[in-house]
Amino acid sequence: MPEHLLYFDYAATTPLDPCVLEAMMPFLSGMSGNASSIHQVGRAALQALDDAREQVAFVLGCQPKEIVFTGGGSESINLAIKGVAMALRAHGKTHVISSAVEHHAVLHAIDYLVEYEGFRATLLPVDRSGRVNPADLSAAIRHETALVSVMYANNETGVIQPIAELAAICHEHGVLFHTDAVQAPGQLPLDVQALGVDLLSLTAHKFYGPQGVGVLYMRRGTPLVPQINGGAQERRRRAGTENIAGIVGLATALTIAERERAQYVHQLRTLSERLIGGVLQRIPHSWLNGDRTCRLPSIVNLGFACIETESLLLLLDQRGICASSGSACTSGSLEPSHVLLAMGLSPEEANGSIRFSLGRHTTAEQIETLLELLPDLVAQLRAVAPCA
Ligand SMILES: *Cc1c(COP(=O)(O)O)cnc(C)c1O
């Protein structure tokens, strides 16, 4: 990343850790080998694949067999949701439940099931703080419910959902539970037994690993219709020659993220509390979106009355500051965030909100620079477009 840039968009993607790159190098620069080949080059690739699978299983507290490597977060999520739904349809299960604040990978996978596969879907509401009410889940579960998918932590607000509680409710009713845990590594515990989840999705590039490689944890015995058909890789759950370099990178990055979790959380909390406190104190008519305490310390979503996020993002970008309107998928369009709308914000409030996400290379000095700049920029925008 260029030196002069102030990067506050770690929730979109993180820079590759040099230690991760080093672990990947033998599989990038020479011959990586095909893990399905019988000869020694293939066996070396298979060994690296097995080792990576064990490392990931160790962090998640599961069996290596329960790990499926994929091409990223969206692929893991699609495999979990479509794969389980299609496998259970034969048993009369034609209903899925999720929440209104999910990533588009979840929402659009569910749209697909409804549009093309004859499923019905229920999206649970959230309150103003961005949290799902477990009682709403209990009330939404039906005899036909196949699967519930609720994210661990939201990518726009950082708000954390009560996953263990939601999973327990599902299991009382014999329903399977998936969580999109893409934003969690390095900040929240990932032990799948303690969480009680049946399926969990991750993607390496959100925790300093490479882009284009992900994990789906699937509890032993979980029914699944594969979504990519071909060879027998990944125990027939995901065909295609494995991305050995990427998988080795993912396993290394996840191990580091877990090892440094306590320290990372502490560092991020100090920085984000300073940012939140500074903005709320210095900028009138500003607010924090999402629960103040039950959230990832890496994500700070702030609202400013009478401004357009797009204009503020442009002014920040001119000064080398990278932030986001929340979801990368909707930036470039003027659609207000579905996450903020679901939390009860008006379209104007949602369109005046901006996400700063912090990470490993964020410094106290960078936060001060941002705090010095923001009040002027917000005032500048309010001056040219005064509130009606
Ligand atoms: C980034 C993200 C995804 C998608 O992951 P990709 O690797 O980009 O496919 C899914 N869910 C959440 C919460 C995310 O932040």
Side-chain angles (χ1 to χ4, degrees):
M1 210 179 306
E3 281 282 312
H4 68 281
L5 282 186
L6 293 192
Y7 187 77
F8 292 109
D9 206 10
Y10 285 85
T13 198
T14 56
L16 188 66
D17 180 334
C19 297
V20 171
L21 177 62
E22 198 181 308
M24 294 169 69
M25 273 317 273
F27 305 96
L28 285 171
S29 62
M31 171 119 107
S32 175
N34 184 322
S36 301
S37 303
I38 237 115
H39 50 67
Q40 51 192 301
V41 179
R43 287 199 305 271
L46 183 60
Q47 186 64 52
L49 182 62
D50 288 345
D51 290 349
R53 202 182 303 279
E54 264 183 43
Q55 283 177 34
V56 172
F58 182 77
V59 173
L60 301 189
C62 68
Q63 297 295 316
K65 286 177 192 173
E66 296 173 308
I67 297 298
V68 182
F69 290 115
T70 69
S74 299
E75 192 192 315
S76 294
I77 290 165
N78 273 264
L79 177 56
I81 293 176
K82 295 178 187 168
V84 169
M86 289 182 191
L88 289 175
R89 181 170 47 191
H91 303 273
K93 304 284 184 187
T94 54
H95 177 236
V96 292
I97 299 173
S98 189
S99 87
V101 295
E102 300 294 312
H103 188 275
H104 282 140
V106 170
L107 293 175
H108 293 166
I110 289 174
D111 286 347
Y112 169 86
L113 289 175
V114 170
E115 209 167 315
Y116 297 103
E117 302 289 342
F119 280 80
R120 288 174 187 276
T122 304
L123 292 186
L124 304 173
V126 295
D127 60 19
R128 184 80 192 192
S129 75
R131 300 252 295 171
V132 165
N133 181 349
D136 289 337
L137 174 60
S138 300
I141 291 178
R142 307 187 208 156
H143 186 64
E144 313 84 67
T145 307
L147 177 76
V148 174
S149 183
V150 176
M151 71 200 318
Y152 197 174
N154 187 270
N155 49 300
E156 294 191 32
T157 60
V159 170
I160 299 165
Q161 301 295 348
I163 293 306
E165 203 179 333
L166 300 173
I169 291 169
C170 287
H171 292 159
E172 276 168 29
H173 295 85
V175 173
L176 294 173
F177 187 84
H178 166 254
T179 191
D180 167 0
V182 163
Q183 291 290 339
Q187 300 186 59
L188 298 175
L190 291 174
D191 186 308
V192 292
Q193 314 307 341
L195 288 170
V197 298
D198 302 294
L199 304 112
L200 176 145
S201 294
L202 297 176
T203 185
H205 74 101
K206 302 287 174 87
F207 49 87
Y208 308 93
Q211 296 178 331
V213 58
V215 159
L216 176 62
Y217 156 75
M218 293 185 59
R219 189 179 294 284
R220 220 178 124 213
T222 302
L224 187 87
V225 174
Q227 301 295 303
I228 297 180
N229 307 107
Q233 291 92 351
E234 300 298 298
R235 297 181 167 258
R236 301 189 181 278
R237 294 167 298 188
R238 197 275 191 184
T241 301
E242 301 84 352
N243 170 6
I244 303 293
I247 289 167
V248 166
L250 181 149
T252 308
L254 188 65
T255 302
I256 295 172
E258 183 59 19
R259 193 179 64 212
E260 297 179 353
R261 184 155 62 89
Q263 163 63 27
Y264 190 55
V265 165
H266 175 75
Q267 172 190 336
L268 291 174
R269 186 161 287 143
T270 309
L271 295 169
S272 59
E273 279 303 319
R274 171 72 189 139
L275 177 58
I276 296 166
V279 165
L280 297 184
Q281 186 208 341
R282 292 178 197 196
I283 305 182
H285 308 294
S286 63
W287 66 87
L288 175 73
N289 288 312
D291 197 87
R292 176 94 189 228
T293 49
C294 201
R295 42 177 283 275
L296 297 178
S298 61
I299 299 182
V300 176
N301 192 312
L302 293 160
F304 304 99
C306 307
I307 71 138
E308 288 284 345
T309 307
E310 303 291 326
S311 316
L312 183 55
L313 286 173
L314 286 176
L315 288 184
L316 286 167
D317 190 39
Q318 283 167 8
R319 285 159 181 78
I321 298 178
C322 309
S324 164
S325 58
S327 159
C329 320
T330 51
S331 62
S333 72
L334 288 168
E335 286 288 295
S337 150
H338 69 281
V339 173
L340 299 178
L341 292 182
M343 288 162 62
L345 273 73
S346 68
E348 293 72 31
E349 287 171 322
N351 272 336
S353 295
I354 183 166
R355 177 186 76 186
F356 296 98
S357 47
L358 322 184
R360 247 182 226 170
H361 308 288
T362 309
T363 62
E365 196 189 348
Q366 291 176 352
I367 298 289
E368 293 312 315
T369 305
L370 183 59
L371 282 174
E372 272 157 36
L373 212 61
L374 261 182
D376 285 348
L377 298 183
V378 170
Q380 204 175 311
L381 290 171
R382 284 175 177 168
V384 294
C387 244

